Structures are given as structure tokens and as C-alpha cells.
Amino acid sequence: MIRDLSLFLAGPPGRPLRALSAFALVLSLLGLAAQGAFAALPRAIPADAKKAVIGFVGPGVVEIGGKAARLGPGAQIRDTENRIVLPSHLGGEHRARVQFDINGEVRRVWLLTPEEAAAPDPKQ
């Protein structure tokens, strides 16, 4: 039985399976190291994005400073790890930086980490 499995575990001709496994391991470790290096970089949030407390109250509607505002078409919401999230997956109030479009609708939202929320606003 083990002899039959060895046919499936054989590497390409001329390359032993052990060398391929080591190569895959090295590539995986390099990928993890690069991911950690990118995670240490600060997020690029535009200076015109205003700090606010934002609440997600319904489909296409948010509450900013006690006032209702609409999410514009194609609005992006980024979480504290800079991933794009859907407004339907968020609830409650969050500290954020908000950017509006020319029509006054919410264009982009960055949910802030505690460190980003405590940082002073950038000079415009």
C-alpha cells in the first residue's frame, strides 16, 4: 500500500520531493515576513477625511454626528486592518475618518484603531 502512495508523492522528474517541500516552505515564510512588513506601514488616509463617530443604521444610510447621511454609489468602508467591509456587516457606532463626495454623500470610510483615533488631525 505504501508503495502505491509513493507514486502520488513523487516530484517532477529530476527534482526530489524534499527539495520542492523546502522551496515551498521558504516561499511561505517569505510571504509571511512580507505581510508583517506591510502591516507595520501606516494607512494612507487622505487629509480631507474628517474624524467622526459613525453609526450604521440601515441599508445605504449612516449616522454621522447625529445626522443621517447616505452612502454614495460605490462607497468603500475599510476596517481597522484596511480590509474593505460591507456596511451590512457593521453595527453600532465606530470612530472613523469620513470622506464625502461632491453631492455630500459618504464616499469612503476608514474605521480607526485606538491609536489612529488619538492621533491629531493632519494639517491641510
Side-chain angles (χ1 to χ4, degrees), residues 42-72:
R43 292 197 283 175
I45 301 174
D48 66 338
K50 309 280 188 235
K51 274 189 182 177
V53 175
I54 187 168
F56 297 89
V57 294
V61 179
V62 294
E63 190 175 279
I64 300 173
K67 296 181 182 179
R70 294 187 48 82
L71 290 174

Side-chain angles (χ1 to χ4, degrees), residues 1-72:
M1 181 100 179
I2 295 176
R3 186 179 301 177
D4 295 335
L5 288 176
S6 67
L7 294 175
F8 295 107
L9 298 176
R15 288 204 172 168
L17 184 62
R18 189 174 282 177
L20 288 175
S21 297
F23 182 69
L25 178 66
V26 168
L27 283 180
S28 298
L29 291 175
L30 286 174
L32 288 173
Q35 181 181 5
F38 285 121
L41 296 174
R43 292 197 283 175
I45 301 174
D48 66 338
K50 309 280 188 235
K51 274 189 182 177
V53 175
I54 187 168
F56 297 89
V57 294
V61 179
V62 294
E63 190 175 279
I64 300 173
K67 296 181 182 179
R70 294 187 48 82
L71 290 174

